[in-house]
Amino acid sequence: PPGPTRGLLCPRRVNSSTEGARTGHSHYVTPAESAMEGSDCTAKEPPLANVCRQNYGAAQDPVEPAVPRSASHVTGSSLGKAEVACGRRWRKTAGNIKCELLRRIILISVPRNYDPALHPFEVPREYVRALNATKLERVFAKPFLASLDGHRDGVNCLAKHPKNLATVLSGACDGEVRIWNLTQRNCIRTIQAHEGFVRGICTRFCGTSFFTVGDDKTVKQWKMDGPGYGDEEEPLHTILGKTVYTGIDHHWKEAVFATCGQQVDIWDEQRTNPICSMTWGFDSISSVKFNPIETFLLGSCASDRNIVLYDMRQATPLKKVILGMRTNTICWNPMEAFIFTAANEDYNLYTFDMRALDTPVMVHMDHVSAVLDVDYSPTGKEFVSASFDKSIRIFPVDKSRSREVYHTKRMQHVICVKWTSDSKYIMCGSDEMNIRLWKANASEKLGVLTSREKAAKDYNQKLKEKFQHYPHIKRIARHRHLPKSIYSQIQEQRIMKEARRRKEVNRIKHSKPGSVPIVSEKKKHVVAVVK
Amino acid sequence: MGILHSHFSVASFNSLLALSQQEELADLPKDYLLSESEDEGDNDGERKHQKLLEAISSLDGKNRRKLAERSEASLKVSEFNVSSEGSGEKLVLADLLEPVKTSSSLATVKKQLSRVKSKKTVELPLNKEEIERIHREVAFNKTAQVLSKWDPVVLKNRQAEQLVFPLEKEEPAIAPIEHVLSGWKARTPLEQEIFNLLHKNKQPVADPLLTPVEKASLRAMSLEEAKMRRGELQRARALQSYYEAKARREKKIKSKKYHKVVKKGKAKKALKEFEQLRKVNPAAALEELEKIEKARMMERMSLKHQNSGKWAKSKAIMAKYDLEARQAMQEQLSKNKELTQKLQVASESEEEEGGTEDVEELLVPDVVNEVQMNADGPNPWMLRSCTSDTKEAATQEDPEQLPELEAHGVSESEGEERPVAEEEILLREFEERRSLRKISELSQDAEPAGSQETKDSGSQEVLSELRVLSQKLKENHQSRKQKASSEGTIPQVQREEPAPEEEEPLLLQRPERVQTLEELEELGKEECFQNKELPRPVLEGQQSERTPNNRPDAPKEKKKKEQMIDLQNLLTTQSPSVKSLAVPTVEELEDEEERNHRQMIKEAFAGDDVIRDFLKEKREAVEASKPKDVDLTLPGWGEAPGSPPSFLIKAPEGPPRKDKNLPNVIINEKRNIHAAAHQVRVLPYPFTHHWQFERTIQTPIGSTWNTQRAFQKLTTPKVVTKPGHIINPIKAEDVGYRSSSRSDLSVIQRNPKRITTRHKKQLKKCSVD
């Protein structure tokens, strides 16, 4: 019989994956488990240490006869013996699968005592792991994947294929539309679609055709598949309009598309006249977007600094919000029907709840120049923005600061950006005629992960989250290299902002209390909401 | 017949053409005189014309209606409209209608007019912008309403522990086994053999692959039904287990009080039910009553809860020496009483009570009985408190005296130990106060015990001690009794008088129970004062200085009052004794300012004992900062026989604290600048308290410290996406909502700009706004 030291070496709790072992020890609760059970761990005071000591008191007791009760208890010194015994038995009863399995389990399982008293340094050890994980994340952060070149002018618009992840469409400033294959990273088709700019491009929800609008006052519908050999590239339909269309978007379910220009027109695909046009004031509307969830809703933004929402069914505008500066484009959250984000000229992005337009839900500020485009991740948790400051940034929806900034030396003003529908990649089209492909998570490993890799990844992620507030880890995680222009711009703007803030504080301080209203940052940018 | 007529008649008279009509002639004599001065020139043609008309009209045979002739009463007759300027009134439609009333021929006109009257004028339509605005507002409200259905979904997704994308579940494309089997044939001998066997046993080989029994079972219950049934069963089982767990938990509760409360609740409920039963079904209620009665009878017959049991006897013996045993006996007896008590009539119960008490007295040993009598009635709670108090008092008596002496010793020495002494004194004052209260209680309880001296001839030491004490207290107490009997008189005066002996014990107890806590306290203080008088001369002197109207004839009373106030406000005011100790003579100069300041603080923190809190805090800080011994014992080590090595490392005495000589300051010596660089300075956002954050940090998530399953659970990522899968926007169907059947297109193509009645209503409301 094992002596008193056995209590230490062979803890009675064995980490085996057998169900029996687990149920046998159901009385024991590790701190983490208990934390999970009491999900709001704020309520209970943890008597964990005491509990554990009680439970392990028995194991330390030298008098207690340490006879293994079940297979899961066979550990430590008795392990070898058991193995030998098993081996002998197999020779007799070959093919005893159960025994074989049991043997494997025994061999794999690492006996471990989870008593917190025996692990006094768990927090420091985890801290070090978190620090390493954060460092490694920065080491492996190589987001740039590919650059697709071929356009002969700046890329003005991008579109995703709704059914195919590998296909991307782009329209350039010289009226050329190209279709790309992302896996092969080459252009598979080139169409001279318009004279002048291709202002907007969108795919039909089924993925069989796509629409383009250009400076030549036409709306053209094209087939997704190229023409047969010897046939000429011709659009399926061409609609000749009276004015220039500046944007186009397709309905998410039906054969309806919307264009914008002087007014928002809703078109039936089968007709050459819009079935409904909606206006509110007279100004050029730069972009129109269908709501992906409540598909009858549209949002548009115009040059007179406003964002207008429309209801297609009731054929009427709903509400208008006027911001401090012009909004370039908006994007609806694909998971939250009433949330949209507007990319504004004043370097900021504004996330609105469309039912309460007077205050944006969040003001996202990090860009140092006008934001030109925005697109949501299909998970609805993040979005990417393209800016005139030659960078793209990724913002969490609920954070006002970006979590990531991408830039390369050759990338000029980024005009359009898209997040692929599997939420793994980001594409951006810029002034210098290239489309670039980025990873959405800079340090993510591409390709298939083994289960251990996956577990390690998850664990590291959790560690980073857990220790993210610690100053050193925070510093490393936040560190990004920026081009000099952006960096100096940030510094400059910081100074300007501080000066403005100081002035406001002074004004409040030296005027009659209450005479100078204190306006929150969120409200500051909204000029008015028009009913 | 007006002027026109007369004109006509005169003309006709003058004319030579004697073409006259009968009616006209008949009128002649009447108007003759009136019309002499008419000009005749132009009348001539007119007349002719008139005549002609007359002739024509008469020609046509039918009796044509004559046009009514009328004369204007108005001063100004306009040819354009009717006005009522002359009368100075406004013309109303009713005025115009009045003459119409008589003639029935104008009924239709009348009707039309009345209809006009009933209709209101149509207001001007709103201008276009206004209408559009209202349209927009209505549409917006409608849309917002539609969108609000997504609120719970959005909230759920935002708070979800884990979201797995794509949201819609893809059906696994696994072909049913029948399809797989159909294209397969037995080839090897083994397979053929098996198939032979199957055929022999009439087992199905091909398509449905089900035995008849299985088919029947399938038909018996559909999958859905089975699922539902299983769900129900699961639910029932879960409920049962919850119930069981609850019952077990409740059973495990050791608290007597809890069980008592539960029992009481049950009894109450039963009573309520009984009441209801009595109302609803008197017969059943009667039965119930009988049952109760029977139970009572059984109880009376049995010797349960009486003093004849083995346990009770042993307790009775023990009761002499053991308070608890006595108490237990009391409880049992009271229970017996309760159980054997009849439910009804008041007069009877009184008798019975007397009877039972008699019985009790026979059964219970003297000591127990006596205490019970003192406490008046069979209330075990009262009893217990009394006895326990006596016990406590006996032990507390001496320590109560001691600190006082000690305090004075310290006050005399008052050297470098001053801060400590100050603190100690403060705390001691509290002690005193507490002990005072105890004594007062004691005196109250002890007094009746003393009065019944005759009875307890063979009582124990405790009681004898008590008596000694009560003797001391007696004097005071009597006076208080007096106070109760004769209201409004000063107790001081009463004290000098000898207490009347005739008062019955019953009366004696009465006012006592009525007394409030303050009174008791006062009594206690009085008592205390007598004890303290000797060792407290310094204190009193100061007090007398502070009280301006200090009369020599009633110094005691004054003092007492002072003391009372002092004790109550002890925490906020600097008590005189403390002041004398803590504040050196230098401070006397700033006394006025200081006092004002103190006064202010006192007012601000009335009810808060700030000083004490601070002292306590400091003491704790000092305790915490003391270097601790390190215990290096590990389980299993050093447990071997022989000389065990010591794992305890004694901590060396640290340097003296920086705030050792600063009574009002706590200097934190723990903060380490080097470590601070690695520490979180500000509490991160979602946490509301630092210990929440600390706990999350202290809970390890790695597999080194957790079981595999816990590790997996702890490290589940928040968002999971599958590579190569397209994530579509959320759909109403995904979350169980019904998406609208009509397409957006069809809705537009119908009538887009039609206003429903509801819209109109809203429109009206909006326009009012």
Side-chain angles (χ1 to χ4, degrees), chain B residues 568-747:
Chain B
Q568 269 162 2
N569 300 336
L570 189 74
L571 303 175
T572 48
T573 58
Q574 199 92 7
S575 81
S577 66
V578 169
K579 205 173 175 184
S580 70
L581 293 172
V583 186
T585 46
V586 189
E587 275 197 59
E588 295 290 333
L589 298 171
E590 308 163 18
D591 220 21
E592 273 303 305
E593 246 179 83
E594 190 86 339
R595 204 173 293 161
N596 283 342
H597 186 65
R598 287 229 171 99
Q599 190 65 26
M600 252 170 66
I601 287 178
K602 194 167 76 180
E603 276 165 16
F605 296 100
D608 279 1
D609 39 358
V610 190
I611 296 165
R612 198 187 175 206
D613 280 354
F614 179 77
L615 289 176
K616 204 178 154 197
E617 205 174 305
K618 182 164 180 185
R619 214 175 325 119
E620 275 167 7
V622 169
E623 277 300 311
S625 72
K626 268 182 191 162
K628 286 178 186 69
D629 300 345
V630 185
D631 189 6
L632 290 178
T633 17
L634 277 176
W637 286 87
E639 284 163 7
S643 61
S646 168
F647 291 108
L648 199 75
I649 299 172
K650 283 249 165 110
E653 198 67 26
R657 280 184 69 87
K658 284 174 190 165
D659 56 1
K660 195 186 159 198
N661 295 326
L662 302 168
N664 302 329
V665 181
I666 303 174
I667 298 173
N668 187 2
E669 292 171 358
K670 249 166 116 185
R671 189 173 152 79
N672 184 353
I673 308 159
H674 302 294
H678 296 269
Q679 283 168 342
V680 181
R681 255 157 273 162
V682 189
L683 190 70
Y685 158 60
F687 301 101
T688 52
H689 207 270
H690 69 89
W691 52 260
Q692 291 173 348
F693 179 61
E694 278 164 15
R695 193 174 297 164
T696 50
I697 292 297
Q698 274 158 11
T699 316
I701 50 174
S703 57
T704 323
W705 305 281
N706 289 299
T707 58
Q708 193 58 31
R709 182 173 286 183
F711 171 68
Q712 276 167 4
K713 267 189 188 172
L714 282 168
T715 55
T716 43
K718 272 211 159 164
V719 176
V720 176
T721 54
K722 287 183 198 160
H725 284 250
I726 290 175
I727 303 167
N728 286 320
I730 197 168
K731 273 183 228 138
E733 299 92 61
D734 291 347
V735 288
Y737 288 134
R738 196 173 52 79
S739 60
S740 65
S741 52
R742 287 183 301 171
S743 69
D744 298 341
L745 188 61
S746 67
V747 173

Side-chain angles (χ1 to χ4, degrees), chain B residues 328-347:
Chain B
M329 285 202 68
Q330 274 306 321
E331 251 165 60
Q332 202 197 10
L333 278 172
S334 62
K335 192 163 195 185
N336 178 34
K337 207 169 168 186
E338 205 176 284
L339 286 170
T340 52
Q341 209 162 23
K342 241 185 181 174
L343 286 173
Q344 298 144 344
V345 210
S347 60

Side-chain angles (χ1 to χ4, degrees), chain A residues 4-5 8 13 15 19 22 30-33 35-36 41-46 60 62 112-115 117-119 121-123 125-127 129 161-165 251-256 266-268 271 275-276 279-280 291-297 309 311-319 334-339 353-357 361 378-381 421-424 447 455-456 458-459 462-463 465-467 469-472 530-531, chain B residues 132-151 153-155 157-161 163 165 167 634-637 639-640 676-688 691-733 739-749 751-753 759:
Chain A
T5 47
L8 240 189
R13 176 144 184 82
N15 177 26
E19 197 59 45
R22 220 172 278 129
T30 67
E33 275 170 342
M36 280 189 306
C41 53
T42 59
K44 280 187 282 179
E45 196 64 26
Q60 292 161 18
R112 195 177 281 286
N113 194 339
Y114 295 110
D115 180 8
L118 301 179
H119 300 281
F121 294 115
E122 40 195 22
V123 179
R125 283 177 75 187
E126 285 218 317
Y127 175 81
R129 284 181 194 179
H161 193 286
K163 300 284 178 196
N164 189 353
L165 280 172
H251 194 278
W252 287 79
K253 283 175 191 159
E254 285 155 37
V256 176
I266 311 279
W267 304 75
D268 186 349
R271 302 189 185 184
I275 46 176
C276 148
T279 51
W280 190 351
N291 187 324
I293 305 168
E294 292 297 347
T295 47
F296 58 89
L297 280 175
L309 302 170
D311 188 330
M312 191 179 96
R313 287 182 170 187
Q314 298 175 60
T316 166
L318 296 174
K319 228 170 206 188
M335 290 293 149
E336 298 173 2
F338 39 79
I339 301 286
D353 182 335
M354 71 154 278
R355 297 166 299 176
L357 289 171
V361 179
T379 60
K381 298 281 177 198
S421 346
D422 61 348
S423 90
K424 293 276 183 209
D458 292 345
Y459 179 44
K462 273 281 138 97
L463 278 180
E465 262 168 45
K466 186 179 162 186
F467 289 97
H469 306 291
Y470 280 75
H472 280 207
V530 186
K531 283 178 183 174
Chain B
E132 273 182 355
R133 194 180 67 80
I134 290 160
H135 269 299
R136 286 195 298 261
E137 215 162 324
V138 170
F140 179 80
N141 289 341
K142 207 174 157 191
T143 314
Q145 212 173 2
V146 169
L147 285 173
S148 64
K149 82 172 177 190
W150 287 98
D151 274 331
V153 178
V154 167
L155 197 71
N157 281 350
R158 278 181 191 172
Q159 291 171 346
E161 291 280 299
L163 280 176
F165 294 103
L167 287 174
L634 277 176
W637 286 87
E639 284 163 7
H678 296 269
Q679 283 168 342
V680 181
R681 255 157 273 162
V682 189
L683 190 70
Y685 158 60
F687 301 101
T688 52
W691 52 260
Q692 291 173 348
F693 179 61
E694 278 164 15
R695 193 174 297 164
T696 50
I697 292 297
Q698 274 158 11
T699 316
I701 50 174
S703 57
T704 323
W705 305 281
N706 289 299
T707 58
Q708 193 58 31
R709 182 173 286 183
F711 171 68
Q712 276 167 4
K713 267 189 188 172
L714 282 168
T715 55
T716 43
K718 272 211 159 164
V719 176
V720 176
T721 54
K722 287 183 198 160
H725 284 250
I726 290 175
I727 303 167
N728 286 320
I730 197 168
K731 273 183 228 138
E733 299 92 61
S739 60
S740 65
S741 52
R742 287 183 301 171
S743 69
D744 298 341
L745 188 61
S746 67
V747 173
I748 314 181
Q749 278 166 353
N751 195 355
K753 288 229 175 188
H759 284 201

